[in-house]
Amino acid sequence: METVLYELHFRWGDLPILLIPLLVGIGFWAVSCSLNRASGAGKDLIAPVGRDLSRSKGIKWFLRGIALLSGVVFLLSGAAYVADYTALKTRYEAGDYLTVCGFVEDLTVAEYPDKGGDSFTVDGVPFAYTDTDLTLHGYRKEAQNGGIITREGQYLVIRYIPDPDTGSNHILYIAEQESP
C-alpha cells in the first residue's frame, strides 16, 4: 500500500518574497511623488543643508530610477520563477523524471532556522533542501517546520529531476510504503 505524501504544486507561499522588489519600487516612487508636494513643514531640518532637496529634480529622478529598477527586478525574478516551475511541471507531466525507492538513510535535520537544511539519501541518491531556497522547486519543507521526512528507515518512493547546474535534485513526488 502506497500513501502519497507530496506531489509537485505551485508554492503560493513564495509570493510574498517575490513581491519585495515591487513593494520597494512602489515605496521609492511614492517618496519621489511626495517630493513634488513638499510643503513648508520640515524646512527647519533642511536649513543646515542650505537648500530645499524636495525641489531638486535630480533627487526625484534618482528615486524614480530606483523604483523602476526595482520593478524590473520584480518582473525578471517573477518571470524566471514561473518559467522554472512551468518547465519542471511540464517535464514531470511528460514522465521525464527519475524514480528511486528505498529506505531513508543518513538523515540530517536542521536544528535551527537558517542553519542549512535537511538532507538524506535513498538508495544512494542524495537529497538536500531548505525552506528558504526559492531556486529549488518541488518538495523542500524541513522536518522542524512540519516536513514529512522525519526519521531514518522510512521506505519512500521518490520521483525527482536532477539539476545539472546546482547538482541538487528537485523532488516532485514522495510516497511512503509500509513494506518494500
Side-chain angles (χ1 to χ4, degrees):
M1 170 126 170
E2 186 173 282
T3 305
V4 176
L5 302 176
Y6 173 81
E7 191 161 14
L8 180 66
H9 61 277
F10 190 80
R11 297 180 59 95
W12 291 102
D14 292 344
L15 190 60
I17 295 168
L18 294 172
L19 287 175
I20 289 173
L22 180 64
L23 297 174
V24 167
I26 290 170
F28 274 102
W29 192 270
V31 168
S32 75
C33 290
S34 71
L35 289 179
N36 290 340
R37 293 185 302 271
S39 66
K43 283 197 175 194
D44 293 341
L45 296 174
I46 297 172
V49 175
R51 67 182 208 149
D52 186 358
L53 292 179
S54 67
R55 299 192 189 279
S56 171
K57 287 188 183 232
I59 297 292
K60 178 177 79 170
W61 286 107
F62 175 74
L63 295 173
R64 287 187 178 179
I66 292 174
L68 292 173
L69 180 63
S70 297
V72 169
V73 168
F74 163 72
L75 290 175
L76 292 177
S77 63
Y81 181 86
V82 171
D84 289 347
Y85 168 77
T86 304
L88 198 65
K89 182 173 175 141
T90 302
R91 287 183 64 186
Y92 177 56
E93 290 173 346
D96 183 19
Y97 54 81
L98 301 172
T99 303
V100 65
C101 303
F103 293 101
V104 172
E105 298 174 337
D106 305 321
L107 178 65
T108 303
V109 176
E111 295 181 26
Y112 304 103
D114 302 328
K115 297 291 182 191
D118 293 357
S119 64
F120 64 94
T121 59
V122 173
D123 198 27
V125 179
F127 297 96
Y129 50 88
T130 179
D131 290 337
T132 58
D133 186 0
L134 296 182
T135 64
L136 189 63
H137 297 282
Y139 182 77
R140 65 175 199 239
K141 190 164 194 158
E142 296 172 353
Q144 69 178 355
N145 296 326
I148 55 178
I149 301 167
T150 57
R151 62 181 166 75
E152 290 196 19
Q154 285 178 284
Y155 190 83
L156 301 178
V157 176
I158 298 178
R159 297 176 187 161
Y160 67 98
I161 294 178
D163 187 341
D165 295 332
T166 63
S168 59
N169 294 315
H170 298 278
I171 301 173
L172 310 174
Y173 173 90
I174 302 173
E176 187 172 28
Q177 291 182 343
E178 292 181 19
S179 61

